[in-house]
Amino acid sequence: MCGIMGYTGYRQALPLLLEGLKRLEYRGYDSAGVAVLESNGIFLKKKAGKLAVLESCLNGCQPAGVVGIGHTRWATHGVPCDRNAHPHLDCRGELAVVHNGIIENYISLRAELSGNGHRFLSETDTEVLPHLLEEIYQGDLLASLLALLPRLHGSYAMAVMSLREPGRLLVARRDSPLVLGLGKGENFLASDIPALLPYTRRILVMEDGEVAELWPDGVKIYDASGRQLTREAFPVEWDAAAAEKAPYPHFMLKEIHEQPRTLRDTLRGRMEGGRVLLPELDGAATYLRQCRRLFITACGTAFHAGLVGKYLIEKLVRLPVEVDIASEFRYRDLLLQPHDVVVVISQSGETADTLAALRLARNLGAKVLAITNVLGSSVAREADWVLYTWAGPEIAVASTKAYTAQVLLIALLSLHLAELRGTLSPSEVTGLAQEIDLLPERVAQVLRQEAEVASLAQRLKEHEHCFFIGRGMDWAVAAEGALKLKEISYIHAETYPAGELKHGTLALITEGVPVVALATQLSLLEKMLSNIKEVKARGAWVLAVTADGEEVAEEVDACLRLPPGDPLFLPVVAVVPLQLLAYHVAVARGCDVDQPRNLAKSVTVE
Ligand code: M6R
């Protein structure tokens, strides 16, 4: 994820761009850059690191230009460094482009353009854009952009300016956010509304497939064929600070709702014709084929994703998997053998215990495969192989979209391993891959039940204790649901494999005690029903989360229904009502949802 900002008007562009980028830094902050149109050329400055680094480099530079574009980056293609930072220029230095998204066919475009003599200075997918425009350009930037877009696969919110057409900015959007801000004698563009609020509150939201041109005195929106559209601007009344997460009151809720899109991003380019493509693991094939067991290690939510991974891999790959909390893994007398593969999972890629576990595993001769969300993080740099989750920056301390992306990626890894090791036939892999492809839509369906979850939260909010139970993968999902509730609502929540309750914990189940029962695994449904009856018989108030369970619904006090699907992949869907439940309970209890007490987003101490 990246942030883009643009301005055309009568004021010096640079300070406005920097101010806007500051408000977009939550979208990515590994490098930043600006381009301003000057009468004698394009003023370009870009730097690795946060925006503050760019600002200090600019110290003293005051380009007078009144048209410009800027970018704050969360690297996807190419490490964070000066030359990979945006904006990118064409060969003549006359066109500048900033882009948020991924141009999936950039390799073939780049080869074609290089063959035509274009010179590339970065490793990014974005750089093909100014060069393609340079090829197409015949004096009209709008016509050139309309001709360029059909050649692109992937997602983009892009802004373009040309030395030959001063005053004019062009933008296009597909699957990446883009808004326009209307001023008097000046107009703006940005990835998100907060960047524009100091200057205007009249906002136009661009839709997928649209192109727009901005001049100081007006904005025009077009469809992909160049037909002009009419669109009313709407007034924004939020205050600028809260609006960064707008229209959501908290980042956590925003991130929960982003999941259908982030899951699609995780899948993007990784499935084709019913096959799973993980080219990042090409060099690992021999190890993955030969290893006799797998270790997974991680902390917190990432550990819970690993627990789901154990069930998936053992079932589909018939390979034994040990899952360890990283702070335990690093201090036990590990029996790692040559050919063992250790999978470390970390959203931030900087968690101290996970990093230490990774280093220990490598010191002991094992190979390490990292699953992480942050490009160039320590975990990513030090592992032998890396799979990125592409969930975008997660700001709320409570992890939500990173978890579902991790589980989804492990599901893909399971199919990849099953293919490599021949434990599933190609047609079985295809069938399961089709199921995986449906998960983003299923998550979207669950999100539509938010009002129902919010009213159940009212029932839970007065309690100080709560139990989460499940069997098999449901137990792993229950553990994640309980963690969410604990960390943001401060309700004590315990997770139990449902069959284990009667060995002690059942003593705590008394009249009215809330129990959240996960019952999504068809093969375990009857057993789970017995456990639900056990707690009901002791007076528990039971909320079930189930996909198929008519019988379950009849036994419990409240029931949340998931869209049916292969139970193997339901953890990605089943966790979503639990995230919403924790969120609404925390709000009802007046807790600081995004920054819960005693916690931090990235735990870089042991
Ligand atoms: O960045 P990591 O995935 O390594 O972080 C691990 C845990 O600290 C993290 O998942 C934590 O448990 C979350 N706050 C839970 O919501």
Side-chain angles (χ1 to χ4, degrees):
M1 214 159 70
C2 305
I4 69 172
M5 172 82 190
Y7 174 77
T8 176
Y10 56 88
R11 299 193 245 180
Q12 251 186 307
L14 183 65
L16 301 172
L17 295 176
L18 292 173
E19 188 54 38
L21 291 177
K22 226 170 263 167
R23 290 160 192 268
L24 294 172
E25 241 191 330
Y26 77 92
R27 303 180 62 80
Y29 37 79
D30 58 43
S31 48
V34 285
V36 175
L37 275 190
E38 295 275 71
S39 50
N40 56 347
I42 292 178
F43 170 89
L44 178 72
K45 199 77 171 174
K46 38 196 210 165
K47 260 345 248 176
K50 295 199 176 197
L51 193 63
V53 178
L54 176 71
E55 281 179 308
S56 69
C57 287
L58 281 164
N59 198 13
C61 282
Q62 290 290 341
V66 292
V67 182
I69 53 180
H71 188 271
T72 178
R73 181 168 186 248
W74 192 75
T76 57
H77 293 59
V79 296
C81 64
D82 293 359
R83 73 175 188 291
N84 286 338
H86 301 210
H88 291 287
L89 304 187
D90 67 334
C91 296
R92 297 193 191 107
E94 292 182 347
L95 284 158
V97 177
V98 288
H99 164 228
N100 168 34
I102 295 178
I103 306 300
E104 288 168 7
N105 57 333
Y106 82 101
I107 293 180
S108 57
L109 291 173
R110 192 173 164 126
E112 174 192 324
L113 288 161
S114 300
N116 292 350
H118 289 264
R119 223 164 35 85
F120 286 84
L121 304 178
S122 78
E123 293 138 28
T124 64
D125 52 333
T126 301
E127 205 186 350
V128 297
L129 300 174
H131 291 284
L132 261 178
L133 276 171
E134 184 182 7
E135 290 253 310
I136 297 169
Y137 188 77
Q138 287 181 341
D140 178 2
L141 207 47
L142 173 62
S144 313
L145 190 59
L146 288 169
L148 164 83
L149 298 180
R151 300 214 51 201
L152 305 179
H153 301 169
S155 58
Y156 48 78
M158 69 170 98
V160 188
M161 63 183 195
S162 164
L163 203 52
R164 297 209 220 161
E165 299 182 49
R168 192 183 201 190
L169 284 180
L170 263 296
V171 293
R173 174 198 161 142
R174 188 203 285 166
D175 286 341
S176 292
L178 189 57
V179 294
L180 308 181
L182 308 188
K184 287 198 177 113
E186 57 183 356
N187 288 301
F188 306 80
L189 67 97
S191 296
D192 203 354
I193 294 170
L196 305 181
L197 290 185
Y199 314 114
T200 178
R201 290 179 168 263
R202 289 178 59 224
I203 302 296
L204 278 173
V205 177
M206 294 212 27
E207 305 285 348
D208 276 345
E210 290 178 349
V211 170
E213 63 176 322
L214 291 80
W215 294 93
D217 56 359
V219 163
K220 287 182 185 161
I221 301 187
Y222 304 91
D223 69 11
S225 65
R227 197 165 48 92
Q228 197 178 334
L229 306 170
T230 46
R231 173 84 38 82
E232 286 298 304
F234 67 89
V236 172
E237 274 142 27
W238 326 308
D239 73 283
E244 285 183 15
K245 41 210 175 244
Y248 298 99
H250 298 100
F251 279 109
M252 182 181 178
L253 190 61
K254 182 179 187 184
E255 287 159 6
I256 290 173
H257 278 272
E258 277 173 359
Q259 288 175 112
R261 186 179 53 73
T262 53
L263 290 171
R264 278 195 290 275
D265 288 345
T266 306
L267 290 178
R268 201 184 297 282
R270 285 176 164 155
M271 291 209 295
E272 201 178 86
R275 289 201 56 215
V276 172
L277 307 177
L278 294 176
E280 304 94 318
L281 300 186
D282 283 354
T286 312
Y287 289 92
L288 295 174
R289 217 176 266 125
Q290 287 175 359
C291 74
R292 285 194 294 272
R293 61 187 174 155
L294 218 62
F295 290 80
I296 300 180
T297 185
C299 300
T301 287
F303 167 72
H304 294 150
L307 284 179
V308 176
K310 173 181 171 69
Y311 288 100
L312 277 173
I313 294 168
E314 290 189 342
K315 170 98 183 157
L316 299 176
V317 192
R318 315 306 298 154
L319 180 65
V321 180
E322 283 192 36
V323 194
D324 261 309
I325 289 171
S327 54
E328 292 296 314
F329 180 91
R330 61 186 291 196
Y331 291 119
R332 76 185 167 91
D333 219 348
L334 272 176
L335 299 174
L336 282 180
Q337 292 162 0
H339 295 303
D340 282 337
V341 173
V342 177
V343 178
V344 300
I345 309 173
S346 174
Q347 187 282 132
S348 62
E350 302 295 345
T351 300
D353 283 317
T354 310
L355 192 54
L358 177 158
R359 289 175 180 156
L360 176 68
R362 295 203 71 204
N363 283 343
L364 292 174
K367 289 282 179 190
V368 174
L369 160 58
I371 293 180
T372 185
N373 198 34
V374 181
L375 199 93
S377 58
S378 304
V379 158
R381 285 197 312 271
E382 296 189 30
D384 295 282
W385 313 292
V386 186
L387 290 174
Y388 286 107
T389 41
W390 302 134
E394 195 178 55
I395 293 169
V397 165
S399 182
T400 53
K401 61 178 183 171
Y403 169 84
T404 46
Q406 286 159 357
V407 175
L408 186 66
L409 198 45
I410 294 169
L412 291 180
L413 177 64
S414 309
L415 293 192
H416 178 73
L417 291 174
E419 257 200 316
L420 262 183
R421 299 171 67 101
T423 53
L424 292 177
S425 67
S427 67
E428 285 171 317
V429 170
T430 302
L432 292 171
Q434 280 162 356
E435 272 291 311
I436 288 179
D437 209 24
L438 295 170
L439 292 173
E441 178 46 35
R442 291 190 178 138
V443 167
Q445 279 173 256
V446 172
L447 289 171
R448 288 180 212 126
Q449 299 174 36
E450 182 171 1
E452 202 181 334
V453 180
S455 80
L456 289 167
Q458 296 303 318
R459 171 71 181 73
L460 270 186
K461 72 175 186 201
E462 306 297 349
H463 289 270
E464 288 310 318
H465 304 279
C466 180
F467 291 85
F468 284 71
I469 59 173
R471 284 172 172 263
M473 286 201 283
D474 278 341
W475 169 57
V477 177
E480 176 55 11
L483 177 60
K484 289 289 89 87
L485 190 67
K486 280 183 273 203
E487 72 175 326
I488 60 166
S489 79
Y490 315 145
I491 291 177
H492 166 229
E494 288 234 30
T495 318
Y496 266 84
E500 183 67 9
L501 275 181
K502 56 187 172 293
H503 298 289
T505 310
L506 202 54
L508 294 172
I509 306 293
T510 53
E511 196 60 37
V513 167
V515 174
V516 179
L518 276 282
T520 73
Q521 299 299 301
L522 255 189
S523 61
L524 296 165
L525 207 58
E526 280 189 11
K527 302 283 169 206
M528 196 55 209
L529 263 174
S530 306
N531 300 132
I532 288 173
K533 285 179 183 164
E534 278 164 18
V535 293
K536 279 299 297 171
R538 272 86 189 167
W541 178 85
V542 180
L543 162 61
V545 176
T546 185
D548 342 64
E550 264 322 309
E551 305 143 274
V552 174
E554 282 165 18
E555 292 298 329
V556 297
D557 299 280
C559 185
L560 290 168
R561 297 293 186 93
L562 306 177
D566 191 320
L568 269 182
F569 306 123
L570 275 182
V572 173
V573 184
V575 76
V576 176
L578 306 185
Q579 296 168 344
L580 285 170
L581 187 67
Y583 172 79
H584 283 288
V585 172
V587 170
R589 285 165 69 97
C591 299
D592 184 347
V593 172
D594 282 338
Q595 292 174 328
R597 70 184 178 212
N598 304 341
L599 302 178
K601 184 66 189 161
S602 184
V603 186
T604 52
V605 291
E606 198 184 328

